[in-house]
Protein backbone atom coordinates (compact mmCIF):
# COMPACT_ATOMS: atom_id res chain seq x y z
CA UNK A 1 0.00 0.00 0.00
CA UNK A 2 1.20 3.47 -0.82
CA UNK A 3 1.96 6.00 1.87
CA UNK A 4 -0.16 9.11 1.58
CA UNK A 5 0.90 12.54 2.77
CA UNK A 6 -2.01 14.42 4.31
CA UNK A 7 -2.72 17.81 2.80
CA UNK A 8 -4.87 19.56 5.37
CA UNK A 9 -4.30 23.25 4.64
CA UNK A 10 -7.79 23.73 3.25
CA UNK A 11 -6.79 24.09 -0.40
CA UNK A 12 -8.81 22.68 -3.27
CA UNK A 13 -7.28 19.33 -4.28
CA UNK A 14 -6.73 18.08 -7.82
CA UNK A 15 -5.55 14.97 -9.65
CA UNK A 16 -3.61 15.21 -12.92
CA UNK A 17 -4.87 12.12 -14.72
CA UNK A 18 -2.19 12.13 -17.44
CA UNK A 19 1.29 13.65 -17.46
CA UNK A 20 4.55 12.41 -18.97
CA UNK A 21 6.93 13.40 -16.19
CA UNK A 22 9.83 11.63 -17.91
CA UNK A 23 9.53 14.16 -20.78
CA UNK A 24 9.15 17.26 -18.63
CA UNK A 25 11.30 20.33 -19.11
CA UNK A 26 12.58 19.95 -15.54
CA UNK A 27 13.27 17.06 -13.18
CA UNK A 28 10.18 15.16 -11.95
CA UNK A 29 10.90 16.17 -8.34
CA UNK A 30 10.87 19.86 -9.29
CA UNK A 31 7.62 19.52 -11.23
CA UNK A 32 6.05 17.56 -8.39
CA UNK A 33 6.99 20.18 -5.82
CA UNK A 34 5.29 22.88 -7.88
CA UNK A 35 2.29 20.62 -8.43
CA UNK A 36 1.86 20.08 -4.71
CA UNK A 37 2.06 23.84 -4.13
CA UNK A 38 -0.71 24.28 -6.72
CA UNK A 39 -2.95 21.77 -4.95
CA UNK A 40 -2.30 18.64 -7.03
CA UNK A 41 -2.61 15.71 -4.65
CA UNK A 42 -1.44 12.94 -6.99
CA UNK A 43 -1.02 12.17 -10.67
CA UNK A 44 -0.81 9.46 -13.31
CA UNK A 45 2.38 9.06 -15.38
CA UNK A 46 1.84 6.81 -18.44
CA UNK A 47 4.55 5.44 -20.70
CA UNK A 48 4.45 5.46 -24.49
CA UNK A 49 6.79 2.50 -25.14
CA UNK A 50 8.90 0.01 -23.20
CA UNK A 51 11.65 2.48 -22.28
CA UNK A 52 9.35 5.24 -21.06
CA UNK A 53 7.10 2.78 -19.25
CA UNK A 54 10.18 1.73 -17.27
CA UNK A 55 10.91 5.42 -16.62
CA UNK A 56 7.35 5.94 -15.42
CA UNK A 57 7.69 3.00 -13.04
CA UNK A 58 10.90 4.44 -11.62
CA UNK A 59 9.30 7.86 -11.09
CA UNK A 60 6.32 6.28 -9.34
CA UNK A 61 8.55 4.14 -7.13
CA UNK A 62 10.64 7.21 -6.28
CA UNK A 63 7.54 9.25 -5.40
CA UNK A 64 5.03 6.63 -4.17
CA UNK A 65 2.99 9.18 -2.24
CA UNK A 66 2.35 11.31 -5.33
CA UNK A 67 2.61 9.25 -8.54
CA UNK A 68 0.95 6.22 -10.09
CA UNK A 69 2.02 4.83 -13.45
CA UNK A 70 0.96 3.03 -16.59
CA UNK A 71 2.76 0.92 -19.17
CA UNK A 72 1.80 0.78 -22.81
CA UNK A 73 2.62 1.41 -26.45
CA UNK A 74 1.51 4.64 -28.12
CA UNK A 75 0.07 4.35 -31.64
CA UNK A 76 3.02 6.32 -33.03
CA UNK A 77 5.21 3.41 -31.88
CA UNK A 78 2.79 0.60 -32.76
CA UNK A 79 5.13 -0.99 -35.30
CA UNK A 80 7.27 -2.01 -32.30
CA UNK A 81 4.55 -4.11 -30.67
CA UNK A 82 5.99 -7.43 -31.81
CA UNK A 83 9.41 -6.59 -30.36
CA UNK A 84 8.17 -4.93 -27.15
CA UNK A 85 5.01 -6.87 -26.34
CA UNK A 86 6.68 -9.36 -23.98
CA UNK A 87 8.43 -6.68 -21.97
CA UNK A 88 5.38 -4.42 -21.92
CA UNK A 89 3.05 -7.25 -20.91
CA UNK A 90 5.26 -8.00 -17.91
CA UNK A 91 5.23 -4.32 -16.93
CA UNK A 92 1.48 -4.01 -17.48
CA UNK A 93 0.90 -6.83 -15.01
CA UNK A 94 2.61 -4.66 -12.39
CA UNK A 95 1.38 -1.22 -13.45
CA UNK A 96 -1.61 0.71 -12.15
CA UNK A 97 -3.03 1.03 -15.66
CA UNK A 98 -2.37 0.30 -19.35
CA UNK A 99 -1.33 3.01 -21.76
CA UNK A 100 -0.90 5.30 -23.37
CA UNK A 101 -2.24 3.35 -26.32
CA UNK A 102 -4.84 3.82 -29.02
CA UNK A 103 -5.14 5.00 -32.62
CA UNK A 104 -3.78 8.09 -34.38
CA UNK A 105 -4.92 8.49 -37.98
CA UNK A 106 -3.83 12.14 -38.10
CA UNK A 107 -0.08 11.58 -38.13
CA UNK A 108 -0.12 7.90 -39.14
CA UNK A 109 3.42 7.39 -37.85
CA UNK A 110 2.73 3.66 -37.71
CA UNK A 111 0.71 1.73 -40.29
CA UNK A 112 -2.96 1.61 -39.32
CA UNK A 113 -2.95 -2.18 -39.33
CA UNK A 114 -0.11 -2.15 -36.80
CA UNK A 115 -1.90 0.45 -34.69
CA UNK A 116 -5.07 -1.62 -34.61
CA UNK A 117 -3.18 -4.80 -33.71
CA UNK A 118 -1.31 -3.16 -30.83
CA UNK A 119 -4.42 -1.38 -29.55
CA UNK A 120 -6.54 -4.52 -29.57
CA UNK A 121 -3.81 -6.50 -27.83
CA UNK A 122 -3.65 -3.90 -25.06
CA UNK A 123 -7.45 -3.85 -24.78
CA UNK A 124 -7.34 -7.61 -24.29
CA UNK A 125 -4.82 -7.15 -21.49
CA UNK A 126 -7.05 -4.54 -19.89
CA UNK A 127 -9.96 -6.98 -20.01
CA UNK A 128 -8.05 -9.96 -18.69
CA UNK A 129 -6.30 -8.01 -15.91
CA UNK A 130 -9.30 -5.78 -15.08
CA UNK A 131 -7.11 -2.66 -15.31
CA UNK A 132 -7.89 0.81 -16.63
CA UNK A 133 -6.71 1.61 -20.14
CA UNK A 134 -5.62 5.10 -21.22
CA UNK A 135 -6.66 5.69 -24.82
CA UNK A 136 -5.23 8.10 -27.38
CA UNK A 137 -7.75 8.87 -30.13
CA UNK A 138 -6.97 11.29 -32.95
CA UNK A 139 -9.02 11.26 -36.15
CA UNK A 140 -9.85 7.63 -35.40
CA UNK A 141 -13.15 7.95 -33.57
CA UNK A 142 -15.05 5.22 -35.42
CA UNK A 143 -12.39 2.54 -34.99
CA UNK A 144 -11.70 3.42 -31.34
CA UNK A 145 -15.43 3.33 -30.66
CA UNK A 146 -15.80 -0.05 -32.34
CA UNK A 147 -12.98 -1.61 -30.33
CA UNK A 148 -14.03 -0.15 -26.98
CA UNK A 149 -17.69 -0.99 -27.49
CA UNK A 150 -16.77 -4.60 -28.28
CA UNK A 151 -14.57 -4.83 -25.18
CA UNK A 152 -17.21 -3.44 -22.81
CA UNK A 153 -14.68 -1.82 -20.48
CA UNK A 154 -17.02 0.96 -19.39
CA UNK A 155 -15.49 3.61 -17.13
CA UNK A 156 -12.14 1.78 -17.10
CA UNK A 157 -11.63 3.03 -20.67
CA UNK A 158 -10.20 6.55 -20.37
CA UNK A 159 -10.32 8.80 -23.43
CA UNK A 160 -7.28 10.91 -22.71
CA UNK A 161 -6.99 14.50 -23.96
CA UNK A 162 -10.42 14.09 -25.49
CA UNK A 163 -10.96 16.19 -28.63
CA UNK A 164 -14.18 14.77 -30.05
CA UNK A 165 -17.16 17.00 -30.72
CA UNK A 166 -20.55 16.72 -29.06
CA UNK A 167 -21.76 13.94 -31.38
CA UNK A 168 -18.89 11.57 -30.61
CA UNK A 169 -18.91 12.58 -26.95
CA UNK A 170 -22.54 11.48 -26.66
CA UNK A 171 -21.81 8.22 -28.48
CA UNK A 172 -18.84 7.35 -26.27
CA UNK A 173 -20.75 8.40 -23.16
CA UNK A 174 -23.32 5.80 -24.13
CA UNK A 175 -20.79 3.00 -23.61
CA UNK A 176 -19.78 4.37 -20.23
CA UNK A 177 -16.24 5.60 -20.87
CA UNK A 178 -14.36 8.19 -18.82
CA UNK A 179 -13.36 11.47 -20.47
CA UNK A 180 -10.16 13.33 -19.62
CA UNK A 181 -9.79 16.95 -20.75
CA UNK A 182 -6.51 18.78 -21.29
CA UNK A 183 -5.30 22.32 -21.95
CA UNK A 184 -6.92 22.60 -25.37
CA UNK A 185 -10.23 23.34 -23.65
CA UNK A 186 -8.77 26.76 -22.80
CA UNK A 187 -7.88 27.69 -26.39
CA UNK A 188 -9.91 30.48 -28.04
CA UNK A 189 -10.44 28.28 -31.12
CA UNK A 190 -11.74 25.28 -29.10
CA UNK A 191 -15.49 25.97 -29.20
CA UNK A 192 -16.17 22.48 -30.57
CA UNK A 193 -14.31 20.93 -27.64
CA UNK A 194 -16.16 23.11 -25.14
CA UNK A 195 -19.43 21.90 -26.64
CA UNK A 196 -18.15 18.37 -26.00
CA UNK A 197 -17.47 19.28 -22.36
CA UNK A 198 -21.02 20.58 -22.10
CA UNK A 199 -22.52 17.19 -22.99
CA UNK A 200 -19.98 15.00 -21.17
CA UNK A 201 -21.25 13.56 -17.86
CA UNK A 202 -19.41 15.61 -15.18
CA UNK A 203 -19.27 12.58 -12.89
CA UNK A 204 -17.29 10.68 -15.55
CA UNK A 205 -14.69 13.35 -16.34
CA UNK A 206 -11.10 13.99 -15.28
CA UNK A 207 -8.57 16.75 -15.89
CA UNK A 208 -5.04 16.34 -17.18
CA UNK A 209 -2.07 18.32 -18.42
CA UNK A 210 -0.48 15.83 -20.83
CA UNK A 211 2.81 17.33 -19.62
CA UNK A 212 4.89 18.65 -21.35
CA UNK A 213 2.42 19.15 -24.20
CA UNK A 214 -0.78 21.18 -24.69
CA UNK A 215 -0.07 23.98 -22.23
CA UNK A 216 -3.20 25.98 -21.36
CA UNK A 217 -3.67 29.26 -23.20
CA UNK A 218 -2.13 31.47 -20.50
CA UNK A 219 1.07 29.38 -20.64
CA UNK A 220 1.29 28.59 -24.36
CA UNK A 221 4.83 29.99 -24.43
CA UNK A 222 6.21 27.39 -22.02
CA UNK A 223 6.14 23.60 -21.49
CA UNK A 224 3.12 22.23 -19.72
CA UNK A 225 3.37 20.87 -16.18
CA UNK A 226 1.07 19.34 -13.55
CA UNK A 227 0.84 22.62 -11.61
CA UNK A 228 -1.38 23.93 -14.44
CA UNK A 229 -4.20 21.44 -13.78
CA UNK A 230 -6.33 24.01 -11.88
CA UNK A 231 -6.44 26.19 -15.01
CA UNK A 232 -8.00 23.34 -16.97
CA UNK A 233 -10.40 22.63 -14.14
CA UNK A 234 -11.48 26.27 -14.16
CA UNK A 235 -12.26 26.01 -17.88
CA UNK A 236 -14.54 23.04 -17.22
CA UNK A 237 -16.21 24.93 -14.38
CA UNK A 238 -16.98 27.81 -16.76
CA UNK A 239 -18.63 25.45 -19.26
CA UNK A 240 -20.63 23.57 -16.64
CA UNK A 241 -21.64 26.69 -14.76
CA UNK A 242 -20.33 25.41 -11.46
CA UNK A 243 -17.56 26.44 -9.10
CA UNK A 244 -13.98 25.29 -9.39
CA UNK A 245 -14.02 23.46 -6.07
CA UNK A 246 -16.87 21.27 -7.29
CA UNK A 247 -14.97 20.41 -10.48
CA UNK A 248 -11.95 19.49 -8.38
CA UNK A 249 -14.11 17.28 -6.17
CA UNK A 250 -15.82 15.55 -9.10
CA UNK A 251 -12.69 14.96 -11.17
CA UNK A 252 -10.65 13.77 -8.21
CA UNK A 253 -13.41 11.34 -7.21
CA UNK A 254 -13.54 10.02 -10.77
CA UNK A 255 -9.77 9.51 -10.85
CA UNK A 256 -9.86 7.64 -7.55
CA UNK A 257 -12.75 5.48 -8.74
CA UNK A 258 -11.29 4.70 -12.16
CA UNK A 259 -7.76 3.95 -11.00
CA UNK A 260 -9.09 2.18 -7.92
CA UNK A 261 -6.45 0.87 -5.54
CA UNK A 262 -3.90 2.44 -7.88
CA UNK A 263 -4.79 5.87 -6.51
CA UNK A 264 -2.19 6.93 -3.95
Amino acid sequence: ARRRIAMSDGKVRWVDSHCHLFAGAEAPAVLLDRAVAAGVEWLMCPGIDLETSLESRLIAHTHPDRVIWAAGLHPHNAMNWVDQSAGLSALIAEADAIGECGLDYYRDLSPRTAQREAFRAQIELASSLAKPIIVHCRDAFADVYEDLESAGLGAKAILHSWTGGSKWTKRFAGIGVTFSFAGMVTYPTADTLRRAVAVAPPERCMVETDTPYLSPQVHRDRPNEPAFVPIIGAALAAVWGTDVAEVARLTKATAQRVFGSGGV
Side-chain angles (χ1 to χ4, degrees), residues 100-115:
E100 171 181 359
C101 61
L103 302 175
D104 192 312
Y105 294 171
Y106 177 76
R107 292 191 175 178
D108 275 328
L109 295 185
S110 282
R112 293 186 182 184
T113 53
Q115 291 188 46

Side-chain angles (χ1 to χ4, degrees), residues 39-60:
V40 179
E41 193 167 288
W42 56 275
L43 51 82
M44 159 58 76
C45 181
I48 58 172
D49 57 16
L50 181 58
E51 180 182 358
T52 56
S53 295
L54 286 166
E55 291 182 60
S56 295
R57 180 177 68 170
L58 177 59
I59 292 168

Side-chain angles (χ1 to χ4, degrees), residues 224-240:
N224 208 356
E225 62 176 274
F228 298 159
V229 150
I231 300 169
I232 299 157
L236 267 59
V239 174
W240 288 335

Side-chain angles (χ1 to χ4, degrees), residues 15-93:
V15 170
D16 185 346
S17 70
H18 192 110
C19 57
H20 302 292
L21 288 177
F22 51 81
E26 298 177 74
V30 174
L31 296 177
L32 286 168
D33 284 347
R34 283 206 293 267
V36 170
V40 179
E41 193 167 288
W42 56 275
L43 51 82
M44 159 58 76
C45 181
I48 58 172
D49 57 16
L50 181 58
E51 180 182 358
T52 56
S53 295
L54 286 166
E55 291 182 60
S56 295
R57 180 177 68 170
L58 177 59
I59 292 168
H61 287 183
T62 304
H63 305 278
D65 54 330
R66 296 283 180 234
V67 182
I68 63 174
W69 66 289
L73 193 66
H74 192 284
H76 291 346
N77 306 315
M79 75 283 284
N80 298 322
W81 177 251
V82 172
D83 292 335
Q84 297 191 10
S85 60
L88 281 169
S89 296
L91 280 179
I92 284 168

Side-chain angles (χ1 to χ4, degrees), residues 33-210:
D33 284 347
R34 283 206 293 267
V36 170
V40 179
E41 193 167 288
W42 56 275
L43 51 82
M44 159 58 76
C45 181
I48 58 172
D49 57 16
L50 181 58
E51 180 182 358
T52 56
S53 295
L54 286 166
E55 291 182 60
S56 295
R57 180 177 68 170
L58 177 59
I59 292 168
H61 287 183
T62 304
H63 305 278
D65 54 330
R66 296 283 180 234
V67 182
I68 63 174
W69 66 289
L73 193 66
H74 192 284
H76 291 346
N77 306 315
M79 75 283 284
N80 298 322
W81 177 251
V82 172
D83 292 335
Q84 297 191 10
S85 60
L88 281 169
S89 296
L91 280 179
I92 284 168
E94 178 188 345
D96 298 300
I98 299 167
E100 171 181 359
C101 61
L103 302 175
D104 192 312
Y105 294 171
Y106 177 76
R107 292 191 175 178
D108 275 328
L109 295 185
S110 282
R112 293 186 182 184
T113 53
Q115 291 188 46
R116 206 81 186 270
E117 178 186 1
F119 184 39
R120 287 176 168 173
Q122 289 171 96
I123 288 174
E124 289 178 8
L125 285 167
S127 295
S128 63
L129 297 171
K131 291 193 175 189
I133 185 167
I134 300 165
V135 179
H136 174 110
C137 176
R138 191 168 187 190
D139 287 3
F141 300 109
D143 284 353
V144 169
Y145 180 88
E146 177 183 321
D147 289 345
L148 292 182
E149 182 187 36
S150 298
L153 300 176
K156 292 291 187 180
I158 302 155
L159 294 175
H160 124 80
S161 189
W162 177 242
T163 59
S166 57
K167 174 186 173 182
W168 277 114
T169 302
K170 290 176 182 178
R171 287 198 68 187
F172 276 99
I175 59 172
V177 304
T178 299
F179 299 95
S180 186
F181 293 100
M184 285 182 292
V185 75
T186 68
Y187 296 174
T189 56
D191 288 339
T192 297
L193 180 53
R194 284 185 285 273
R195 285 193 288 271
V197 173
V199 299
E203 71 281 0
R204 294 216 311 271
C205 291
M206 301 188 294
V207 286
E208 64 168 91
T209 58
D210 200 18

